[in-house]
Amino acid sequence: MKSIKVGLLGIGTVGAGTFNVLKRNQEEISRRAGRGIEIVMVADLDVARAKELVGAQCEVVNDGNLVVNNPDIDIVIELIGGYGIAKDLVLKAIANGKHVVTANKALLAIHGDEIFKAAQAKGVMVAYEAAVAGGIPIIKALREGLTANRIEWIAGIINGTTNFILSEMRDKGLDFDTVLKEAQRLGYAEADPTFDIEGVDAAHKATLMAAIAFGIPVQFGKAHVEGITKLEAVDIRYAEQLGYRIKLLGIAKRTPHGIELRVHPTLIPAKRLIANVEGAMNAVLVQGDAVGATLYYGKGAGAEPTASAVIADLVDITRLADAQPAHRVPHLAFQPHSMTDTPILPISEVTTSYYLRMHVADKLGVLANVTSILAESTISIDAMLQKEPALGETQTDIIMLTHQTQEKNVEAAIKKIEALPTVLGKVTKIRLEHLS
Ligand code: HSE
Protein backbone atom coordinates (compact mmCIF):
# COMPACT_ATOMS: atom_id res chain seq x y z
CA MET A 1 0.00 0.00 0.00
CA LYS A 2 1.38 3.41 -0.80
CA SER A 3 2.49 5.53 2.14
CA ILE A 4 0.34 8.28 3.61
CA LYS A 5 1.69 11.75 2.80
CA VAL A 6 2.27 14.31 5.50
CA GLY A 7 2.99 18.04 5.40
CA LEU A 8 4.68 19.72 8.34
CA LEU A 9 4.03 23.34 9.34
CA GLY A 10 6.94 24.56 11.45
CA ILE A 11 10.14 22.62 12.01
CA GLY A 12 11.33 23.88 15.38
CA THR A 13 12.25 21.61 18.28
CA VAL A 14 9.18 19.35 18.12
CA GLY A 15 9.06 19.36 14.30
CA ALA A 16 12.67 18.24 14.08
CA GLY A 17 12.01 15.59 16.75
CA THR A 18 9.01 14.32 14.77
CA PHE A 19 11.03 14.14 11.58
CA ASN A 20 13.86 12.26 13.29
CA VAL A 21 11.73 9.75 15.22
CA LEU A 22 9.61 9.04 12.16
CA LYS A 23 12.75 8.35 10.16
CA ARG A 24 14.52 6.35 12.86
CA ASN A 25 11.52 4.13 13.66
CA GLN A 26 9.92 4.09 10.22
CA GLU A 27 9.87 0.32 9.89
CA GLU A 28 8.37 -0.28 13.33
CA ILE A 29 5.85 2.53 12.80
CA SER A 30 4.67 1.26 9.40
CA ARG A 31 4.31 -2.28 10.83
CA ARG A 32 1.89 -0.74 13.32
CA ALA A 33 0.14 1.68 10.98
CA GLY A 34 -0.24 -0.79 8.11
CA ARG A 35 1.51 1.51 5.68
CA GLY A 36 4.38 3.98 5.55
CA ILE A 37 4.06 7.52 6.90
CA GLU A 38 6.14 10.02 4.96
CA ILE A 39 6.74 13.73 5.51
CA VAL A 40 6.90 15.05 1.95
CA MET A 41 6.76 18.81 2.51
CA VAL A 42 7.88 21.17 5.27
CA ALA A 43 6.99 24.84 5.61
CA ASP A 44 9.19 27.05 7.74
CA LEU A 45 10.29 30.67 7.58
CA ASP A 46 13.91 29.56 8.05
CA VAL A 47 14.17 27.57 4.82
CA ALA A 48 17.94 27.10 5.00
CA ARG A 49 17.80 25.56 8.49
CA ALA A 50 14.79 23.42 7.54
CA LYS A 51 16.66 22.10 4.49
CA GLU A 52 19.60 21.19 6.68
CA LEU A 53 17.31 19.26 9.01
CA VAL A 54 15.34 17.28 6.41
CA GLY A 55 17.88 16.82 3.62
CA ALA A 56 17.03 16.49 -0.04
CA GLN A 57 14.28 13.87 0.36
CA CYS A 58 11.59 16.39 1.26
CA GLU A 59 10.49 19.69 -0.23
CA VAL A 60 10.96 22.80 1.93
CA VAL A 61 8.89 25.96 1.38
CA ASN A 62 8.49 29.20 3.29
CA ASP A 63 4.70 29.46 2.96
CA GLY A 64 2.36 27.14 4.88
CA ASN A 65 -0.36 27.72 2.28
CA LEU A 66 1.67 25.60 -0.14
CA VAL A 67 1.37 22.70 2.30
CA VAL A 68 -2.33 23.00 3.12
CA ASN A 69 -3.20 23.46 -0.58
CA ASN A 70 -1.03 20.59 -1.79
CA PRO A 71 -3.40 17.93 -3.20
CA ASP A 72 -0.89 15.14 -2.54
CA ILE A 73 -0.88 15.73 1.21
CA ASP A 74 -3.28 13.70 3.40
CA ILE A 75 -2.28 14.91 6.87
CA VAL A 76 -1.04 18.32 8.01
CA ILE A 77 0.96 18.59 11.24
CA GLU A 78 0.67 22.07 12.74
CA LEU A 79 3.62 22.94 15.00
CA ILE A 80 3.64 26.72 14.54
CA GLY A 81 1.89 27.58 17.80
CA GLY A 82 -0.31 30.55 18.73
CA TYR A 83 -3.68 31.36 17.22
CA GLY A 84 -2.88 33.65 14.28
CA ILE A 85 -1.44 32.00 11.21
CA ALA A 86 -1.77 28.58 12.86
CA LYS A 87 -5.56 28.90 13.08
CA ASP A 88 -5.80 30.12 9.52
CA LEU A 89 -3.74 27.23 8.16
CA VAL A 90 -5.52 24.59 10.25
CA LEU A 91 -8.92 25.78 9.01
CA LYS A 92 -7.65 25.85 5.41
CA ALA A 93 -6.24 22.33 5.75
CA ILE A 94 -9.61 21.12 7.09
CA ALA A 95 -11.48 22.92 4.30
CA ASN A 96 -9.20 21.13 1.83
CA GLY A 97 -10.19 17.77 3.35
CA LYS A 98 -6.92 17.11 5.15
CA HIS A 99 -6.58 15.55 8.57
CA VAL A 100 -4.73 17.66 11.12
CA VAL A 101 -2.35 16.80 13.95
CA THR A 102 -1.50 19.65 16.29
CA ALA A 103 0.39 20.22 19.54
CA ASN A 104 -1.22 23.65 19.85
CA LYS A 105 -3.10 23.72 23.17
CA ALA A 106 -3.66 27.48 23.04
CA LEU A 107 -5.34 27.23 19.65
CA LEU A 108 -7.63 24.36 20.69
CA ALA A 109 -8.45 25.72 24.16
CA ILE A 110 -9.63 28.98 22.62
CA HIS A 111 -10.87 28.05 19.13
CA GLY A 112 -11.40 24.30 19.62
CA ASP A 113 -15.16 24.35 19.13
CA GLU A 114 -14.86 26.17 15.81
CA ILE A 115 -12.06 23.87 14.62
CA PHE A 116 -13.77 20.63 15.69
CA LYS A 117 -17.05 21.76 14.14
CA ALA A 118 -15.30 22.48 10.84
CA ALA A 119 -13.55 19.09 10.97
CA GLN A 120 -16.83 17.33 11.77
CA ALA A 121 -18.55 18.97 8.82
CA LYS A 122 -15.73 17.99 6.49
CA GLY A 123 -15.36 14.44 7.88
CA VAL A 124 -11.69 14.83 8.83
CA MET A 125 -9.82 14.15 12.06
CA VAL A 126 -8.08 16.71 14.23
CA ALA A 127 -5.76 14.92 16.66
CA TYR A 128 -4.04 16.65 19.58
CA GLU A 129 -2.34 14.14 21.88
CA ALA A 130 0.77 16.34 21.99
CA ALA A 131 -1.24 19.34 23.18
CA VAL A 132 -1.64 18.00 26.73
CA ALA A 133 1.26 16.76 28.85
CA GLY A 134 3.62 16.20 25.91
CA GLY A 135 4.59 12.56 25.64
CA ILE A 136 2.05 11.22 28.16
CA PRO A 137 -0.84 9.58 26.27
CA ILE A 138 -3.45 11.25 28.45
CA ILE A 139 -5.84 12.16 25.62
CA LYS A 140 -5.84 8.52 24.53
CA ALA A 141 -6.43 7.41 28.12
CA LEU A 142 -9.32 9.81 28.70
CA ARG A 143 -10.99 9.36 25.32
CA GLU A 144 -10.55 5.62 24.95
CA GLY A 145 -8.92 3.76 27.85
CA LEU A 146 -11.32 5.18 30.45
CA THR A 147 -14.37 5.31 28.22
CA ALA A 148 -16.40 3.03 30.54
CA ASN A 149 -16.09 5.48 33.40
CA ARG A 150 -17.93 8.45 34.67
CA ILE A 151 -14.90 10.64 35.23
CA GLU A 152 -15.16 12.33 38.62
CA TRP A 153 -12.09 14.52 38.63
CA ILE A 154 -8.71 15.12 37.08
CA ALA A 155 -5.76 16.78 38.79
CA GLY A 156 -2.59 17.28 36.83
CA ILE A 157 0.90 18.69 37.03
CA ILE A 158 0.73 19.76 33.41
CA ASN A 159 3.37 22.45 33.19
CA GLY A 160 6.98 21.38 33.49
CA THR A 161 8.42 24.88 33.81
CA THR A 162 6.46 25.68 36.96
CA ASN A 163 7.01 22.23 38.43
CA PHE A 164 10.75 22.67 37.94
CA ILE A 165 10.59 26.08 39.65
CA LEU A 166 8.53 24.75 42.59
CA SER A 167 10.89 21.78 43.04
CA GLU A 168 13.89 24.10 43.13
CA MET A 169 12.19 26.51 45.54
CA ARG A 170 11.48 23.60 47.90
CA ASP A 171 14.84 21.85 47.56
CA LYS A 172 16.98 24.94 47.88
CA GLY A 173 14.72 27.22 49.94
CA LEU A 174 15.04 29.92 47.28
CA ASP A 175 12.46 32.52 46.28
CA PHE A 176 10.54 32.54 43.03
CA ASP A 177 12.50 35.28 41.22
CA THR A 178 15.88 33.66 41.89
CA VAL A 179 14.71 30.25 40.67
CA LEU A 180 13.01 31.70 37.60
CA LYS A 181 16.29 33.30 36.51
CA GLU A 182 18.09 30.00 37.04
CA ALA A 183 15.38 28.14 35.09
CA GLN A 184 15.79 30.58 32.20
CA ARG A 185 19.56 30.12 32.26
CA LEU A 186 19.16 26.33 32.12
CA GLY A 187 16.57 26.50 29.34
CA TYR A 188 13.68 25.19 31.50
CA ALA A 189 11.85 28.51 31.22
CA GLU A 190 11.42 30.61 28.11
CA ALA A 191 12.71 34.17 27.78
CA ASP A 192 9.07 35.27 28.08
CA PRO A 193 7.75 32.76 30.61
CA THR A 194 4.37 34.49 31.17
CA PHE A 195 2.10 31.70 29.87
CA ASP A 196 3.89 29.12 32.01
CA ILE A 197 4.34 30.98 35.29
CA GLU A 198 0.92 32.64 35.22
CA GLY A 199 -0.81 29.26 34.78
CA VAL A 200 -2.17 29.99 31.30
CA ASP A 201 -0.46 27.04 29.60
CA ALA A 202 -1.74 24.68 32.31
CA ALA A 203 -5.23 26.16 31.96
CA HIS A 204 -5.22 25.52 28.19
CA LYS A 205 -4.46 21.87 28.91
CA ALA A 206 -6.93 21.56 31.81
CA THR A 207 -9.64 23.07 29.59
CA LEU A 208 -9.07 20.39 26.94
CA MET A 209 -9.07 17.60 29.52
CA ALA A 210 -12.29 18.92 31.10
CA ALA A 211 -14.01 18.92 27.70
CA ILE A 212 -13.16 15.30 26.95
CA ALA A 213 -13.70 14.09 30.51
CA PHE A 214 -17.19 15.56 30.90
CA GLY A 215 -18.48 16.00 27.35
CA ILE A 216 -18.69 19.79 27.55
CA PRO A 217 -17.55 22.42 25.05
CA VAL A 218 -14.01 23.80 25.23
CA GLN A 219 -14.32 26.89 27.47
CA PHE A 220 -10.95 28.36 28.34
CA GLY A 221 -12.55 31.73 29.16
CA LYS A 222 -14.36 30.19 32.16
CA ALA A 223 -11.29 28.59 33.73
CA HIS A 224 -9.96 30.13 36.93
CA VAL A 225 -6.25 30.75 36.34
CA GLU A 226 -3.62 31.55 38.97
CA GLY A 227 0.10 31.04 38.49
CA ILE A 228 2.98 30.71 40.92
CA THR A 229 4.44 34.21 40.75
CA LYS A 230 3.07 35.24 44.14
CA LEU A 231 4.04 32.06 45.93
CA GLU A 232 6.47 32.65 48.79
CA ALA A 233 9.23 30.30 49.91
CA VAL A 234 7.91 30.55 53.48
CA ASP A 235 4.62 28.88 52.47
CA ILE A 236 6.44 26.00 50.80
CA ARG A 237 8.32 25.53 54.09
CA TYR A 238 5.25 25.68 56.33
CA ALA A 239 3.34 23.35 53.99
CA GLU A 240 6.19 20.87 54.30
CA GLN A 241 6.11 21.06 58.10
CA LEU A 242 2.42 20.20 57.95
CA GLY A 243 3.04 17.21 55.62
CA TYR A 244 2.15 18.84 52.29
CA ARG A 245 3.84 19.87 49.03
CA ILE A 246 2.76 22.80 46.90
CA LYS A 247 2.19 22.03 43.21
CA LEU A 248 0.62 24.00 40.39
CA LEU A 249 -2.38 21.79 39.63
CA GLY A 250 -4.82 21.88 36.75
CA ILE A 251 -8.09 20.63 38.23
CA ALA A 252 -11.30 19.62 36.49
CA LYS A 253 -13.96 18.29 38.84
CA ARG A 254 -17.57 17.25 38.43
CA THR A 255 -19.83 18.44 41.28
CA PRO A 256 -23.61 18.29 41.71
CA HIS A 257 -23.79 22.02 40.87
CA GLY A 258 -21.47 22.20 37.89
CA ILE A 259 -17.89 21.74 36.86
CA GLU A 260 -14.87 23.19 38.61
CA LEU A 261 -12.14 24.16 36.16
CA ARG A 262 -9.19 25.78 37.86
CA VAL A 263 -5.42 26.14 37.85
CA HIS A 264 -3.65 27.37 40.98
CA PRO A 265 -0.90 26.50 43.44
CA THR A 266 -2.28 23.70 45.61
CA LEU A 267 -1.20 21.97 48.79
CA ILE A 268 -1.33 18.19 48.38
CA PRO A 269 -0.38 15.55 50.95
CA ALA A 270 3.34 14.75 50.58
CA LYS A 271 2.58 11.02 50.69
CA ARG A 272 0.59 11.06 47.41
CA LEU A 273 2.54 9.72 44.43
CA ILE A 274 1.77 12.85 42.44
CA ALA A 275 3.25 15.03 45.18
CA ASN A 276 6.59 13.41 44.41
CA VAL A 277 6.66 14.38 40.75
CA GLU A 278 9.67 16.63 40.64
CA GLY A 279 11.53 18.83 38.18
CA ALA A 280 10.12 19.35 34.71
CA MET A 281 8.11 16.10 34.74
CA ASN A 282 4.34 16.02 34.27
CA ALA A 283 1.72 13.74 35.83
CA VAL A 284 -2.04 13.49 35.60
CA LEU A 285 -4.24 11.78 38.18
CA VAL A 286 -7.70 10.74 36.98
CA GLN A 287 -10.50 9.49 39.20
CA GLY A 288 -13.07 7.33 37.40
CA ASP A 289 -16.06 5.74 39.11
CA ALA A 290 -15.23 2.22 37.91
CA VAL A 291 -11.45 2.16 37.74
CA GLY A 292 -10.76 4.39 40.75
CA ALA A 293 -7.61 6.50 40.57
CA THR A 294 -5.13 6.10 37.71
CA LEU A 295 -1.91 8.07 37.40
CA TYR A 296 -0.05 8.96 34.20
CA TYR A 297 3.54 10.19 34.43
CA GLY A 298 6.18 11.29 31.95
CA LYS A 299 7.85 14.09 30.07
CA GLY A 300 5.49 16.95 29.25
CA ALA A 301 7.76 18.67 26.76
CA GLY A 302 10.90 18.21 24.67
CA ALA A 303 11.61 17.21 21.09
CA GLU A 304 11.21 13.44 21.13
CA PRO A 305 8.67 13.05 23.97
CA THR A 306 6.34 15.44 22.14
CA ALA A 307 7.18 13.79 18.81
CA SER A 308 6.10 10.50 20.38
CA ALA A 309 2.59 11.96 20.83
CA VAL A 310 2.52 13.60 17.39
CA ILE A 311 3.46 10.32 15.70
CA ALA A 312 0.92 8.34 17.74
CA ASP A 313 -1.70 10.66 16.24
CA LEU A 314 -0.27 10.13 12.75
CA VAL A 315 -0.58 6.36 13.22
CA ASP A 316 -4.15 6.65 14.53
CA ILE A 317 -5.16 8.77 11.56
CA THR A 318 -3.40 6.45 9.12
CA ARG A 319 -5.29 3.46 10.50
CA LEU A 320 -8.64 5.24 10.40
CA ALA A 321 -8.22 7.34 7.25
CA ASP A 322 -10.51 5.09 5.23
CA ALA A 323 -13.08 4.54 7.99
CA GLN A 324 -16.47 6.22 7.93
CA PRO A 325 -16.21 9.46 9.98
CA ALA A 326 -18.98 8.17 12.27
CA HIS A 327 -16.86 5.13 13.14
CA ARG A 328 -13.92 7.16 14.39
CA VAL A 329 -13.30 8.30 17.97
CA PRO A 330 -15.13 11.64 18.43
CA HIS A 331 -12.83 14.65 18.71
CA LEU A 332 -13.96 15.44 22.24
CA ALA A 333 -14.63 11.81 23.25
CA PHE A 334 -18.42 12.27 23.30
CA GLN A 335 -20.58 12.19 20.17
CA PRO A 336 -21.09 15.83 19.07
CA HIS A 337 -24.88 15.64 19.55
CA SER A 338 -24.38 14.26 23.09
CA MET A 339 -22.36 17.14 24.49
CA THR A 340 -23.90 18.86 27.52
CA ASP A 341 -23.89 22.46 28.65
CA THR A 342 -23.16 21.70 32.32
CA PRO A 343 -22.05 25.06 33.72
CA ILE A 344 -18.51 25.80 34.80
CA LEU A 345 -18.65 27.19 38.32
CA PRO A 346 -17.16 30.58 39.18
CA ILE A 347 -14.31 30.32 41.67
CA SER A 348 -16.52 31.73 44.47
CA GLU A 349 -18.67 28.55 44.19
CA VAL A 350 -15.75 26.13 44.33
CA THR A 351 -15.54 23.85 47.37
CA THR A 352 -12.13 22.85 48.68
CA SER A 353 -9.88 23.05 51.73
CA TYR A 354 -7.55 25.94 52.50
CA TYR A 355 -4.16 26.84 53.91
CA LEU A 356 -4.29 30.22 55.63
CA ARG A 357 -1.20 32.04 56.89
CA MET A 358 -1.48 35.18 58.94
CA HIS A 359 1.13 37.33 60.61
CA VAL A 360 -0.11 38.36 64.05
CA ALA A 361 0.87 40.28 67.15
CA ASP A 362 1.71 37.71 69.81
CA LYS A 363 -1.01 38.90 72.21
CA LEU A 364 -3.60 37.25 74.44
CA GLY A 365 -6.80 36.44 72.55
CA VAL A 366 -5.48 36.69 68.98
CA LEU A 367 -6.05 33.04 68.25
CA ALA A 368 -9.47 33.09 69.95
CA ASN A 369 -10.54 36.01 67.72
CA VAL A 370 -9.42 34.25 64.55
CA THR A 371 -10.99 30.91 65.42
CA SER A 372 -14.29 32.51 66.39
CA ILE A 373 -14.46 34.27 62.99
CA LEU A 374 -13.86 30.92 61.31
CA ALA A 375 -16.47 29.22 63.50
CA GLU A 376 -19.04 31.95 62.74
CA SER A 377 -18.35 31.34 59.04
CA THR A 378 -18.87 27.58 59.57
CA ILE A 379 -15.27 26.92 58.58
CA SER A 380 -13.83 23.99 60.48
CA ILE A 381 -10.12 23.91 61.32
CA ASP A 382 -8.25 20.72 60.39
CA ALA A 383 -4.72 21.54 61.60
CA MET A 384 -2.77 24.46 62.98
CA LEU A 385 0.81 25.60 63.33
CA GLN A 386 1.98 28.52 65.41
CA LYS A 387 5.61 29.53 65.33
CA GLU A 388 7.23 30.55 68.57
CA PRO A 389 8.27 34.20 68.05
CA ALA A 390 11.98 34.64 67.50
CA LEU A 391 13.88 35.98 70.51
CA GLY A 392 12.92 39.61 71.12
CA GLU A 393 10.09 39.46 68.51
CA THR A 394 6.49 40.24 69.41
CA GLN A 395 4.98 39.03 66.16
CA THR A 396 4.55 35.58 64.75
CA ASP A 397 2.94 33.47 62.01
CA ILE A 398 -0.16 31.36 62.49
CA ILE A 399 -0.95 28.75 59.86
CA MET A 400 -4.30 27.03 59.69
CA LEU A 401 -5.58 24.27 57.44
CA THR A 402 -9.33 24.16 57.04
CA HIS A 403 -11.74 21.39 56.19
CA GLN A 404 -13.70 21.78 52.97
CA THR A 405 -15.74 24.91 52.53
CA GLN A 406 -16.88 27.19 49.74
CA GLU A 407 -14.43 29.80 48.45
CA LYS A 408 -16.84 32.65 49.13
CA ASN A 409 -17.03 31.65 52.84
CA VAL A 410 -13.29 31.74 53.11
CA GLU A 411 -13.06 35.08 51.33
CA ALA A 412 -15.63 36.61 53.72
CA ALA A 413 -13.81 35.19 56.76
CA ILE A 414 -10.44 36.47 55.51
CA LYS A 415 -11.86 39.99 55.21
CA LYS A 416 -12.96 39.86 58.85
CA ILE A 417 -9.65 38.38 60.00
CA GLU A 418 -7.68 41.06 58.16
CA ALA A 419 -9.76 43.72 59.93
CA LEU A 420 -8.62 42.50 63.37
CA PRO A 421 -6.08 44.98 64.83
CA THR A 422 -3.86 42.10 65.96
CA VAL A 423 -3.59 40.64 62.44
CA LEU A 424 -0.83 42.39 60.56
CA GLY A 425 -1.09 42.67 56.79
CA LYS A 426 -2.83 40.30 54.41
CA VAL A 427 -3.81 36.68 54.99
CA THR A 428 -2.16 34.29 52.54
CA LYS A 429 -4.64 31.76 51.13
CA ILE A 430 -3.64 28.65 49.19
CA ARG A 431 -6.13 25.96 48.20
CA LEU A 432 -5.59 22.41 49.43
CA GLU A 433 -6.70 19.14 47.81
CA HIS A 434 -6.45 15.74 49.49
CA LEU A 435 -6.76 13.88 46.15
CA SER A 436 -8.12 10.84 47.92
N1 HSE B 1 5.82 25.13 28.34
C1 HSE B 1 5.25 23.86 28.67
C2 HSE B 1 5.78 23.37 30.00
C3 HSE B 1 5.51 22.79 27.66
O1 HSE B 1 6.58 24.04 30.64
O2 HSE B 1 5.34 22.33 30.42
C4 HSE B 1 4.64 22.89 26.47
O3 HSE B 1 3.31 22.91 26.82
Side-chain angles (χ1 to χ4, degrees), residues 103 105 130-131 133-134 158-162 188 190 196 201 205 280 282 300-302:
K105 58 232 101 187
I158 43 183
N159 183 269
T161 305
T162 45
Y188 283 108
E190 305 206 16
D196 291 321
D201 174 75
K205 296 166 183 168
N282 280 200

mmCIF file of all heavy atoms in Angstrom, residues 103 105 130-131 133-134 158-162 188 190 196 201 205 280 282 300-302, ligand 1:
data_model
loop_
_atom_site.group_PDB
_atom_site.id
_atom_site.type_symbol
_atom_site.label_atom_id
_atom_site.label_comp_id
_atom_site.label_asym_id
_atom_site.label_seq_id
_atom_site.Cartn_x
_atom_site.Cartn_y
_atom_site.Cartn_z
ATOM 1 N N ALA A 103 -0.051 20.204 18.136
ATOM 2 C CA ALA A 103 0.387 20.218 19.538
ATOM 3 C C ALA A 103 -0.051 21.532 20.183
ATOM 4 O O ALA A 103 0.392 21.869 21.280
ATOM 5 C CB ALA A 103 1.906 20.100 19.596
ATOM 6 N N LYS A 105 -2.066 23.690 22.135
ATOM 7 C CA LYS A 105 -3.102 23.720 23.172
ATOM 8 C C LYS A 105 -3.813 25.058 23.226
ATOM 9 O O LYS A 105 -5.014 25.132 23.470
ATOM 10 C CB LYS A 105 -2.521 23.368 24.540
ATOM 11 C CG LYS A 105 -1.392 24.278 24.983
ATOM 12 C CD LYS A 105 -0.190 23.519 25.394
ATOM 13 C CE LYS A 105 0.816 23.533 24.280
ATOM 14 N NZ LYS A 105 1.963 22.688 24.495
ATOM 15 N N ALA A 130 -0.423 15.594 21.548
ATOM 16 C CA ALA A 130 0.767 16.339 21.989
ATOM 17 C C ALA A 130 0.416 17.661 22.664
ATOM 18 O O ALA A 130 1.287 18.311 23.245
ATOM 19 C CB ALA A 130 1.673 16.610 20.795
ATOM 20 N N ALA A 131 -0.863 18.050 22.610
ATOM 21 C CA ALA A 131 -1.238 19.345 23.181
ATOM 22 C C ALA A 131 -1.314 19.294 24.706
ATOM 23 O O ALA A 131 -1.243 20.330 25.366
ATOM 24 C CB ALA A 131 -2.576 19.795 22.596
ATOM 25 N N ALA A 133 0.259 17.577 28.144
ATOM 26 C CA ALA A 133 1.258 16.757 28.848
ATOM 27 C C ALA A 133 2.218 16.040 27.906
ATOM 28 O O ALA A 133 2.666 14.915 28.201
ATOM 29 C CB ALA A 133 0.567 15.775 29.796
ATOM 30 N N GLY A 134 2.560 16.674 26.804
ATOM 31 C CA GLY A 134 3.623 16.198 25.907
ATOM 32 C C GLY A 134 3.533 14.729 25.554
ATOM 33 O O GLY A 134 2.594 14.288 24.895
ATOM 34 N N ILE A 158 0.731 19.770 34.870
ATOM 35 C CA ILE A 158 0.733 19.761 33.410
ATOM 36 C C ILE A 158 1.554 20.920 32.850
ATOM 37 O O ILE A 158 1.390 21.296 31.698
ATOM 38 C CB ILE A 158 -0.723 19.777 32.857
ATOM 39 C CG1 ILE A 158 -1.592 20.761 33.625
ATOM 40 C CG2 ILE A 158 -1.304 18.372 32.911
ATOM 41 C CD1 ILE A 158 -3.041 20.798 33.192
ATOM 42 N N ASN A 159 2.428 21.450 33.689
ATOM 43 C CA ASN A 159 3.370 22.448 33.193
ATOM 44 C C ASN A 159 4.732 22.181 33.829
ATOM 45 O O ASN A 159 4.896 22.334 35.045
ATOM 46 C CB ASN A 159 2.877 23.863 33.511
ATOM 47 C CG ASN A 159 3.819 24.905 32.939
ATOM 48 O OD1 ASN A 159 4.748 25.352 33.598
ATOM 49 N ND2 ASN A 159 3.620 25.263 31.681
ATOM 50 N N GLY A 160 5.668 21.777 32.997
ATOM 51 C CA GLY A 160 6.981 21.380 33.492
ATOM 52 C C GLY A 160 7.791 22.546 34.024
ATOM 53 O O GLY A 160 8.539 22.405 35.003
ATOM 54 N N THR A 161 7.643 23.709 33.385
ATOM 55 C CA THR A 161 8.423 24.880 33.807
ATOM 56 C C THR A 161 8.119 25.221 35.266
ATOM 57 O O THR A 161 9.028 25.397 36.084
ATOM 58 C CB THR A 161 8.072 26.092 32.917
ATOM 59 O OG1 THR A 161 8.270 25.707 31.563
ATOM 60 C CG2 THR A 161 8.905 27.299 33.253
ATOM 61 N N THR A 162 6.835 25.294 35.588
ATOM 62 C CA THR A 162 6.460 25.676 36.961
ATOM 63 C C THR A 162 6.784 24.563 37.945
ATOM 64 O O THR A 162 7.145 24.829 39.085
ATOM 65 C CB THR A 162 4.973 26.048 37.033
ATOM 66 O OG1 THR A 162 4.227 25.063 36.318
ATOM 67 C CG2 THR A 162 4.708 27.406 36.453
ATOM 68 N N TYR A 188 14.956 25.776 31.058
ATOM 69 C CA TYR A 188 13.680 25.195 31.502
ATOM 70 C C TYR A 188 12.538 26.200 31.380
ATOM 71 O O TYR A 188 11.381 25.833 31.362
ATOM 72 C CB TYR A 188 13.757 24.723 32.957
ATOM 73 C CG TYR A 188 14.500 23.428 33.128
ATOM 74 C CD1 TYR A 188 15.757 23.387 33.703
ATOM 75 C CD2 TYR A 188 13.928 22.229 32.706
ATOM 76 C CE1 TYR A 188 16.440 22.193 33.852
ATOM 77 C CE2 TYR A 188 14.600 21.033 32.842
ATOM 78 C CZ TYR A 188 15.859 21.025 33.418
ATOM 79 O OH TYR A 188 16.526 19.837 33.560
ATOM 80 N N GLU A 190 11.176 29.810 29.309
ATOM 81 C CA GLU A 190 11.422 30.613 28.109
ATOM 82 C C GLU A 190 11.801 32.043 28.505
ATOM 83 O O GLU A 190 11.570 32.475 29.630
ATOM 84 C CB GLU A 190 10.140 30.638 27.278
ATOM 85 C CG GLU A 190 9.683 29.226 26.979
ATOM 86 C CD GLU A 190 8.863 29.135 25.725
ATOM 87 O OE1 GLU A 190 8.887 30.072 24.927
ATOM 88 O OE2 GLU A 190 8.223 28.098 25.553
ATOM 89 N N ASP A 196 3.595 30.219 31.081
ATOM 90 C CA ASP A 196 3.890 29.120 32.005
ATOM 91 C C ASP A 196 3.681 29.562 33.449
ATOM 92 O O ASP A 196 2.909 28.965 34.176
ATOM 93 C CB ASP A 196 5.330 28.642 31.804
ATOM 94 C CG ASP A 196 5.513 27.929 30.465
ATOM 95 O OD1 ASP A 196 4.609 27.179 30.068
ATOM 96 O OD2 ASP A 196 6.552 28.135 29.824
ATOM 97 N N ASP A 201 -0.735 28.278 30.348
ATOM 98 C CA ASP A 201 -0.462 27.041 29.605
ATOM 99 C C ASP A 201 -1.165 25.853 30.272
ATOM 100 O O ASP A 201 -1.814 25.039 29.596
ATOM 101 C CB ASP A 201 1.060 26.819 29.547
ATOM 102 C CG ASP A 201 1.431 25.495 28.927
ATOM 103 O OD1 ASP A 201 1.331 25.385 27.693
ATOM 104 O OD2 ASP A 201 1.813 24.568 29.663
ATOM 105 N N LYS A 205 -4.440 23.334 28.884
ATOM 106 C CA LYS A 205 -4.457 21.866 28.910
ATOM 107 C C LYS A 205 -5.614 21.352 29.777
ATOM 108 O O LYS A 205 -6.293 20.386 29.409
ATOM 109 C CB LYS A 205 -3.113 21.356 29.441
ATOM 110 C CG LYS A 205 -1.942 21.721 28.513
ATOM 111 C CD LYS A 205 -0.599 21.518 29.201
ATOM 112 C CE LYS A 205 0.559 21.946 28.328
ATOM 113 N NZ LYS A 205 1.829 22.029 29.050
ATOM 114 N N ALA A 280 10.973 18.964 35.840
ATOM 115 C CA ALA A 280 10.118 19.351 34.705
ATOM 116 C C ALA A 280 9.132 18.256 34.305
ATOM 117 O O ALA A 280 8.463 18.373 33.273
ATOM 118 C CB ALA A 280 11.001 19.716 33.517
ATOM 119 N N ASN A 282 5.788 15.812 34.187
ATOM 120 C CA ASN A 282 4.338 16.015 34.266
ATOM 121 C C ASN A 282 3.687 14.755 34.841
ATOM 122 O O ASN A 282 4.259 13.665 34.748
ATOM 123 C CB ASN A 282 3.732 16.231 32.870
ATOM 124 C CG ASN A 282 3.897 17.642 32.330
ATOM 125 O OD1 ASN A 282 3.182 18.048 31.441
ATOM 126 N ND2 ASN A 282 4.849 18.404 32.861
ATOM 127 N N GLY A 300 6.557 16.121 29.807
ATOM 128 C CA GLY A 300 5.487 16.949 29.250
ATOM 129 C C GLY A 300 5.963 17.861 28.141
ATOM 130 O O GLY A 300 5.180 18.632 27.588
ATOM 131 N N ALA A 301 7.230 17.796 27.807
ATOM 132 C CA ALA A 301 7.763 18.669 26.756
ATOM 133 C C ALA A 301 9.037 18.025 26.217
ATOM 134 O O ALA A 301 9.438 16.950 26.662
ATOM 135 C CB ALA A 301 8.060 20.056 27.331
ATOM 136 N N GLY A 302 9.647 18.716 25.244
ATOM 137 C CA GLY A 302 10.897 18.208 24.674
ATOM 138 C C GLY A 302 10.662 17.629 23.288
ATOM 139 O O GLY A 302 9.540 17.249 22.938
HETATM 140 N N1 HSE B 1 5.820 25.128 28.341
HETATM 141 C C1 HSE B 1 5.254 23.856 28.667
HETATM 142 C C2 HSE B 1 5.779 23.375 29.998
HETATM 143 C C3 HSE B 1 5.515 22.790 27.657
HETATM 144 O O1 HSE B 1 6.585 24.042 30.639
HETATM 145 O O2 HSE B 1 5.343 22.326 30.422
HETATM 146 C C4 HSE B 1 4.638 22.895 26.471
HETATM 147 O O3 HSE B 1 3.307 22.911 26.824
#
